[in-house]
Amino acid sequence: MTSSTTGATSTRSVTQGHQPDGAQEVSRADTWPGPAAPLVWLATLALVGAVLGGLIGALVGAAGDEEATASATFEVVTDARALNSPLATSTTNVDTDTFVEGQLQALESLREAREDDEASLTVSQVGSADVLRISATAPTADQATAAVSGLLDAYVTARQEAAGASVTAALAAVQQRLDALAVLGGTDEAGTPVGQEVQRLLSQQSELQAAATRVPGIVPVLRGTTADEPAGAPSWLLSGLVGAVLGAVLLLAAGAVWRATTSRMFDARLLVAAGVTVLLPRLPAGRVRGRGRQVPTRAPNARALSAARLLVPQVTEVGRGAGSLAVFGADERAGASEVVWELAWAIASSGAPVALLTTASAAHAERPDGQRRADGTERVVTSALSVVELPAQPDDDVLAAAVAQQRAAGRQVLLHAPALTTGVRAHDLARHVDRAVVVVGEGVSSLEGALAAVRDVSGSTAPLLGVVVTTTSGHLGRAQVDAPASHPAEETTSPRQETIPSEV
């Protein structure tokens, strides 16, 4: 397959190596699956931002002052119309629009006089009808109701007092006229002008007395003071939704800025563009914080083992005699220990014996049984897989003897070299093996660090086959694979080899 990346054509000259039989001659950049899980990364950022923003928004909404509203509506009619009484012409012939506007001004004056910090009052006209609404907003429904009732009662009282005073004044005037006519006499004579005036005045007096009884209903209340039901969703829910959206957007924006400014390499196709052979498929190496110098103690899961089995023919020559491969990490978090562990299991699963050589600093972590193993101990993991623990900084003779011993036993040798960032010299270790690979963590290692590691290993005597890229996918199963203490390495045999005591 021909790579679609121009730089990939010069891979062989950069790495100074060759691809083994069955592997492709150039990097398959045209079938590369893409950057290090950008969709998963973006989805995680969005989810975390939405959860955090939603919680903060909900808390803010719940802690905020919950406001209650109450209102009342009433009709505005003139006194003459409401009382149905013969009041003064200046009162009965008032234009309706002008009267409504005047009552609005009167209510505004009363509202300003009753304004306080607990409730906020508003007065408005309902459309173009002769109906006014008094509304109040307060921390509680009782406070809002009390504010509306107080303003409405004050307005009604003022209207009643004004109407009552007008009726009383009119009755006094009528009575005064009747008293004056009684002094003149002839009040009982209906046919006389004086008698006719008396009858008119008596009729007017009767109407005014009836109007006086209608003064309490001078303001027709259409809907009494009631607390309004809250409309829509609760405020804490709305605040939570707004906070979730803002949190997701802000965290995605922050992630985009960080990804654009960080030195980490999120797309290993940059290496292909630089002329470096990138071996596929990528191998899972687990969470970045979980990676370290120690070789894992649990068997790889099925996904990791399948990927490693596809990679094995590109880095080893299983079936053509014992070979040796050095695995260098571009940095300590690149996942070199996970890669060499998965490759060892993949080789062993095919039935070929394999020995994994690792330094004491990487292998002498506390074991599950609480014991530490001495330098040079050969630990049998399976019938075809052994782990040999070397000193932290083995000299050339010790390393050469260990590699020669395992190769003499017919085993494939995998050398887990320390990360190049620890100061190890790739040339000193690579001259004891047949070939080498560099492990780069996508989303972990920097492009400069990866290219520097490729340059260092390319300058050694062992041909650099290419770069193995690791991802953050899970790679370990649940089964513990430490050999039981009652079965030391010297007493364990493999179907394809004799017992080989350690001499390191």
Side-chain angles (χ1 to χ4, degrees):
M1 180 182 299
T2 303
S3 173
S4 60
T5 304
T6 304
T9 58
S10 61
T11 301
R12 298 175 62 87
S13 61
V14 174
T15 58
Q16 298 180 4
H18 65 279
Q19 294 283 4
D21 294 340
Q24 298 186 12
E25 192 168 300
V26 293
S27 179
R28 294 171 291 174
D30 54 337
T31 60
W32 189 262
L39 295 180
V40 176
W41 185 71
L42 292 175
T44 303
L45 282 182
L47 180 61
V48 172
V51 171
L52 293 179
L55 290 176
I56 295 175
L59 292 176
V60 172
D65 295 335
E66 292 289 342
E67 293 185 343
T69 60
S71 62
T73 56
F74 56 92
E75 187 178 5
V76 178
V77 295
T78 60
D79 293 350
R81 177 183 169 189
L83 302 177
N84 194 19
S85 63
L87 294 178
T89 302
S90 60
T91 305
T92 57
N93 294 334
V94 174
D95 181 76
T96 301
D97 294 338
T98 305
F99 182 74
V100 172
E101 185 177 349
Q103 296 307 302
L104 276 173
Q105 296 297 327
L107 275 169
E108 281 293 330
S109 299
L110 291 174
R111 183 192 65 80
E112 292 175 358
R114 300 179 62 84
E115 190 72 37
D116 55 29
D117 296 334
E118 294 183 353
S120 175
L121 286 164
T122 58
V123 180
S124 60
Q125 184 178 1
V126 180
S128 59
D130 302 337
V131 178
L132 300 182
R133 176 186 287 116
I134 300 176
S135 302
T137 302
T140 63
D142 293 339
Q143 291 175 334
T145 302
V148 173
S149 298
L151 181 57
L152 180 59
D153 292 343
Y155 172 73
V156 172
T157 300
R159 288 288 305 276
Q160 289 175 347
E161 290 177 353
S166 298
V167 173
T168 300
L171 282 172
V174 170
Q175 186 62 45
Q176 186 178 3
R177 292 288 303 277
L178 287 174
D179 293 343
L181 292 176
V183 173
L184 296 176
T187 58
D188 294 334
E189 298 178 3
T192 64
V194 175
Q196 292 177 355
E197 180 64 15
V198 169
Q199 293 300 321
R200 188 187 67 80
L201 292 174
L202 289 174
S203 176
Q204 187 176 3
Q205 185 182 45
S206 177
E207 292 178 359
L208 289 172
Q209 289 173 348
T213 62
R214 290 190 287 270
V215 168
I218 191 71
V219 178
V221 177
L222 303 180
R223 186 172 70 89
T225 304
T226 55
D228 299 333
E229 293 293 331
S235 59
W236 65 267
L237 180 58
L238 295 177
S239 300
L241 292 176
V242 174
V245 174
L246 290 178
V249 171
L250 291 177
L251 202 57
L252 285 174
V257 172
W258 173 79
R259 186 158 177 162
T261 56
T262 185
S263 60
R264 295 185 181 184
M265 181 182 60
F266 287 92
D267 192 347
R269 285 177 290 188
L270 297 174
L271 292 174
V272 179
V276 178
T277 298
V278 176
L279 305 176
L280 293 178
R282 298 180 295 182
L283 295 187
R287 297 173 61 251
V288 176
R289 293 185 178 180
R291 304 176 189 177
R293 300 179 179 179
Q294 290 79 20
V295 174
T297 57
R298 289 186 294 166
N301 57 29
R303 179 181 179 183
L305 188 58
S306 297
R309 290 172 63 186
L310 292 174
L311 191 61
V312 163
Q314 304 176 58
V315 297
T316 63
E317 295 181 348
V318 178
R320 297 189 179 184
S324 55
L325 172 72
V327 179
F328 292 92
D331 50 72
E332 293 187 1
R333 299 295 183 181
S337 58
E338 286 77 10
V339 168
V340 73
W341 181 247
E342 294 167 15
L343 289 176
W345 271 87
I347 296 173
S349 66
S350 65
V354 58
L356 195 164
L357 277 58
T358 183
T359 59
S361 60
H364 282 186
E366 289 295 333
R367 301 296 180 181
D369 56 5
Q371 299 178 354
R372 295 171 64 90
R373 303 185 185 276
D375 295 344
T377 301
E378 181 176 334
R379 176 170 56 93
V380 174
V381 178
T382 67
S383 59
L385 172 59
S386 298
V387 177
V388 179
E389 300 171 353
L390 303 177
Q393 296 179 348
D395 55 32
D396 289 347
D397 294 338
V398 172
L399 183 56
V403 174
Q405 177 187 357
Q406 300 301 329
R407 295 187 65 171
R411 295 174 177 174
Q412 298 288 330
V413 177
L414 298 180
L415 174 59
H416 174 215
L420 294 173
T421 53
T422 60
V424 64
R425 295 183 60 184
H427 178 75
D428 294 340
L429 296 178
R431 63 184 177 180
H432 299 289
V433 295
D434 298 333
R435 54 185 64 86
V437 294
V438 173
V439 178
V440 173
E442 199 169 42
V444 180
S445 306
S446 64
L447 178 61
E448 293 79 4
L451 293 177
V454 170
R455 181 201 60 194
D456 293 344
V457 178
S458 298
S460 64
T461 56
L464 175 61
L465 301 179
V467 170
V468 177
V469 181
T470 59
T471 68
T472 56
S473 301
H475 66 293
L476 294 178
R478 297 181 178 179
Q480 195 76 21
V481 296
D482 262 344
S486 59
H487 298 282
E490 292 78 9
E491 300 177 1
T492 305
T493 61
S494 170
R496 300 183 57 178
Q497 65 185 36
E498 298 179 355
T499 302
I500 304 296
S502 174
E503 299 178 358
V504 179

